[in-house]
Every structure is written in C-alpha cells, then in structure tokens.
C-alpha cells in the first residue's frame, strides 16, 4: 500500500516526510520535480507519476503537494481519496492546513498519520475517532505537554473503534440537539463568445454538522433524487436503501462530516446563473483598443448573486488600461497583464459595467485572440441543479432535534470566451 508520504511546498522544498514500511529516499521526488517543471501551473502536475521502481500519487491543496509513494499495484483513486482525507483531518485539527501550522504541530501530525495508516493500510480515517485517539492541540495542552513531557495520545481506545458503527462514539450527550445540512454546488462552465454553453457541469456536496444525543437513525429524502448522478457516499449511508428507494438512511458520525458528493453533467440540467456582455476589440493600425464588459443575472430564481469577481489575462502587447467601473473596484497589473474587477453584489436594476480603453505597445501587431474572462460568484439559498431536500426524519431516540438545511451555489472554473 502506501510506503511513504512527502509534503512539498510551493517552492519545491520537502518540509515533512513520513515512512510506514521501509524508508524511501528523498531522491524519488526528483521525478515529481521534473513533472512540476514541465507543468505550467501547480494544478496541472499529473496526479500519477510512474518511476522505474515506484509510483508517485499526489494532490495539491492549500499550496502544498501531498505526495504518496507506492511500490505495488494499488487503485490510484483509493490513494488520492486517502490523501484528501489527510488534508481534511489536518484542517479539522488545526483550523487551517498550511506549512506553518503543520511545522508548529509536527508531533501531533506524526501521531495522527501513525493512527491513520497501519503498516501502509488505512486504519482510522474518521475525524471524531482520531480526536479520541489523539487529542487536538490547545494552548493549555501544549504548555502541559512541554512541562510534563506527556503527549496528546488518549488513554484508552475509542469506544466506536470496536463497534459496528466505527464512525460514531458511544454515550454522546448534548443539551441542544441539532442537525444542519449544507447543500453546496460548484458550477464549472465554458461559455463561447455568442453566449452559448460549450460545456457545463455541477459538482455538488452535502456537508453535515450533526450534534445529537445517543444513537439516532436518520433518513433524508429529496424532492427530485433522480438528478443525482455519479454519487459518492460516506460509509455510514445504507447503499441498498438508496438503490431501491432513493432515500438516504444512516447513523450519522458525531460532528462535521461530508454525507455525499455528486455530479450533474447533463447539459440540459445545468442552468447558467450569470451572463457576460462583452465588447473587446483591437484595431490593426492603432495603438488603442476598446474594452467593455457588463455582468448580469440569468436563471437565478430571484436570488441575489454576490461576491462577484471578474479576472482576465490580457495579451502581452497591452501596456496599460484606462477603465471606469459603474460599481466595485478594478486593478490592472502592467507586469503580469492581469485585470481584476471586484464587483460585489449584482443589482438587476443597475447592472455592473466596466468600460474604457487599452493602450498597446507601439509597432506590435494586433493580438491573435481576445482574452478570456474568468468569473467567481456565490448565490445563497439556491442549488442551481434544482436539488431540494424533502424531509429529514429521526428514529431510535425520543427527543425532537432542531433541523436546518442551507443551499449555496458558487462558481468553480467559470470561463467566458470573447
């Protein structure tokens, strides 16, 4: 299974390594560095790299590469999913997963990694089980450990580790019983210059925060479960029930967890919530160009689009830009040629507009192609796929919990060609 794990920062330094079987030399990462040099961006480094004696599998998150070294045949997605689980665990333990935070808590990091893998095979990957095994660091605990020389390792084995539901500890008690579910959808799209959709798909997740006493059994049903395609469940979900009735039935872990992730790729099901009107032109004989873009809402069911950010990589020949926004602020970096326009909220009565002129280098020919426009945005209380939770029921316990469902749509890689 997994022999070693290397953590590599953005500048290419290995700042942490962990070995489970035999010690693998750092020189194996040279193959990774070669692939990194060939890739234009960090996200474009191949996730699987073959070497003569090993395979390197990596994920890139929070400006850190998590590189696993394997020597035998293993399903790659299994290892990649485990690496994502490692990152999520660090985030849960330390609040943020960054190089500084990992270095500051290096002892806890090694203890957690030791519990997550046993001889290279995944053992305990549930956050609440790990927190019983290895206590999360606090200022007081760090001071006590420094003085007494003790560690964050728990005194006894977690109760859930030996039960049929290893993701939930026994004897959980809360004075306020509550279950919150967040349906978060990320829309990836490419829109051509005429406004038609070239490609569009939705990546969705349902994140849960469940704080319920005892051993509750929950069922979650949807108005339109047929929308859900290519679904990946948390181990707590009873898959047979989902297959036959399209109902989620599960005993939830205690605290925060991801209940499921899904994918909607049918073009006719993906509504595009924003449109961009653009007029970007360069004249052949002149050193001036014209630039104008307007952003507006479309198919948002009356919800407000907020947190709108427009970025565009201008051609190398553009020296500077003289632009006037109707709202928000804009910045053009003459070195990187990146235009950033922080729009904020879109008011449908007065659409945000950015227009002006571009100064081009004298003597340069007209750029071969117009720049593409990238958008970031958020829409609260809307799942753009149309997914809606019908009801949430609880069995096995007598009390009435407080229940809440929240929806959010945000842009993933959303690109408009001009």
């Amino acid at each position: 299974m997994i022999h070693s794990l290397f953590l590599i920062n953005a500048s290419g330094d290995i700042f942490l390594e962990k070995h489970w079987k035999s010690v693998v030399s750092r020189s194996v990462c040279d193959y990774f560095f070669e692939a990194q040099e060939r890739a234009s961006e960090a996200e474009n480094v191949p996730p699987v790299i073959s070497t003569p004696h090993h395979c390197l599998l990596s994920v890139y998150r929070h400006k850190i590469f998590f590189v696993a070294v394997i020597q035998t045949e293993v399903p790659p997605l299994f290892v990649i999913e485990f690496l994502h689980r490692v990152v999520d665990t660090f985030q849960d333990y330390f609040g943020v997963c960054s190089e500084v935070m990992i270095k500051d808590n290096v002892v806890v990091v090694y203890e957690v990694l030791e519990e997550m893998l046993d001889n290279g095979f995944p053992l305990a990957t549930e956050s609440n089980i790990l927190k019983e095994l290895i206590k999360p660091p606090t200022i007081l605990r760090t001071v006590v450990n420094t003085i007494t020389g003790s560690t964050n390792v728990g005194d006894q084995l977690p109760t859930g580790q030996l039960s049929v539901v290893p993701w939930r500890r026994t004897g959980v008690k809360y004075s306020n019983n509550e279950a919150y579910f967040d349906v978060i959808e990320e829309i990836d799209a490419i829109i051509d210059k005429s406004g038609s959709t070239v490609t569009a798909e939705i990546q969705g997740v349902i994140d849960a925060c469940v704080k319920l006493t005892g051993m509750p059994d929950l069922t979650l049903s949807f108005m339109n479960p047929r929308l859900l395609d290519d679904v990946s469940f948390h181990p707590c979900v009873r898959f047979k029930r989902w297959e036959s009735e399209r109902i989620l039935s599960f005993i939830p872990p205690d605290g925060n967890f991801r209940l499921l992730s899904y994918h909607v790729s049918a073009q006719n099901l993906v509504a595009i919530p924003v449109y961009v009107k653009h007029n970007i032109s360069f004249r052949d004989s002149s050193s001036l160009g014209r630039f104008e873009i307007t952003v507006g809402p479309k198919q948002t069911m009356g919800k407000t689009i907020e947190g709108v950010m427009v970025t565009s990589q201008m051609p190398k020949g553009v020296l500077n830009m003289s632009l006037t926004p109707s709202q928000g602020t804009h910045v053009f970096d003459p070195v990187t040629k990146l235009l950033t326009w922080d729009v904020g909220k879109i008011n449908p009565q007065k659409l945000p507009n950015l227009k002006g002129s571009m100064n081009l280098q004298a003597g340069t020919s007209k750029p071969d192609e117009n720049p593409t426009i990238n958008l970031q945005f958020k829409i609260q209380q809307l799942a753009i796929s149309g997914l809606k939770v019908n009801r949430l029921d609880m069995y096995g316990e007598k009390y009435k919990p407080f229940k809440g469902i929240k929806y959010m749509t945000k842009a993933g890689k959303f690109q408009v060609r001009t």
Side-chain angles (χ1 to χ4, degrees), residues 114-345:
E114 197 62 57
E115 293 300 338
M116 290 185 83
L117 277 190
D118 181 36
N119 196 34
F121 290 88
L123 178 67
T125 57
E126 280 300 325
S127 193
N128 49 15
I129 296 294
L130 282 166
K131 281 180 177 174
E132 281 189 76
L133 284 163
I134 312 292
K135 301 280 186 282
T138 61
I139 293 169
L140 181 63
R141 197 171 285 141
T142 307
V143 171
V144 170
N145 289 355
T146 308
I147 295 167
T148 61
S150 55
T151 66
N152 287 26
V153 180
D155 300 329
Q156 56 197 44
L157 195 68
T159 48
Q161 192 77 346
L162 303 172
S163 77
V164 288
V165 280
W167 52 82
R168 187 173 180 87
R169 57 197 173 95
T170 54
V172 183
K173 284 196 171 84
Y174 287 105
S175 53
N176 291 328
N177 292 289
E178 49 198 22
Y180 297 110
F181 293 87
D182 289 352
V183 180
I184 301 166
E185 294 190 340
E186 203 167 86
I187 181 166
D188 297 332
I190 297 174
I191 313 296
D192 69 12
K193 69 194 299 182
S194 64
S196 306
T197 305
V198 177
T199 173
E201 57 183 35
I202 294 166
Q203 313 284 350
V205 296
I206 298 181
D207 286 334
C209 176
V210 176
K211 295 182 177 177
L212 299 173
T213 302
M215 196 66 78
D217 202 325
L218 303 180
T219 62
L220 188 73
S221 61
F222 300 97
M223 301 272 223
N224 38 8
R226 301 281 162 204
L227 280 174
L228 295 178
D229 183 23
D230 193 11
V231 189
S232 167
F233 297 106
H234 188 278
C236 69
V237 175
R238 298 179 181 100
F239 188 61
K240 282 271 193 308
R241 179 103 189 255
W242 170 259
E243 273 194 312
S244 58
E245 300 174 49
R246 284 288 189 262
I247 287 175
L248 293 177
S249 171
F250 56 99
I251 294 172
D254 182 42
N256 297 311
F257 66 99
R258 177 154 292 173
L259 182 63
L260 70 101
S261 53
Y262 60 91
H263 183 89
V264 179
S265 56
Q267 294 285 69
N268 55 340
L269 291 175
V270 181
I272 304 296
V274 293
Y275 69 85
V276 178
K277 279 185 182 169
H278 47 81
N279 180 8
I280 301 171
S281 58
F282 301 96
R283 295 193 201 111
D284 279 322
S285 53
S286 170
S287 62
L288 281 175
R290 179 180 166 73
F291 186 95
E292 182 176 359
I293 52 174
T294 305
V295 186
K298 182 173 99 174
Q299 295 174 305
T300 61
M301 288 58 153
K303 307 289 184 199
T304 307
I305 302 176
E306 51 191 50
V308 180
M309 178 81 78
V310 179
T311 56
S312 184
Q313 185 68 52
M314 305 309 289
K316 287 192 171 71
V318 176
L319 287 175
N320 58 34
M321 302 179 79
S322 172
L323 303 170
T324 309
S326 64
Q327 77 174 64
T329 56
H330 78 285
V331 177
F332 175 69
D333 187 333
V335 179
T336 60
K337 313 294 183 192
L338 185 70
L339 171 68
T340 307
W341 178 27
D342 187 351
V343 181
K345 268 187 193 174

Side-chain angles (χ1 to χ4, degrees), residues 56-102:
L56 307 181
L57 290 99
S58 64
V59 299
Y60 179 69
R61 285 179 63 184
H62 308 290
K63 298 184 179 170
I64 301 170
F65 287 101
F66 292 75
V67 183
V69 180
I70 57 171
Q71 282 182 327
T72 50
E73 189 65 39
V74 177
L77 288 175
F78 186 70
V79 179
I80 286 168
E81 178 60 33
F82 175 77
L83 292 175
H84 281 298
R85 189 64 66 91
V86 169
V87 181
D88 294 340
T89 304
F90 288 170
Q91 214 165 351
D92 202 21
Y93 260 75
F94 313 127
V96 289
C97 179
S98 65
E99 184 185 349
V100 174
M101 196 57 79
I102 289 169

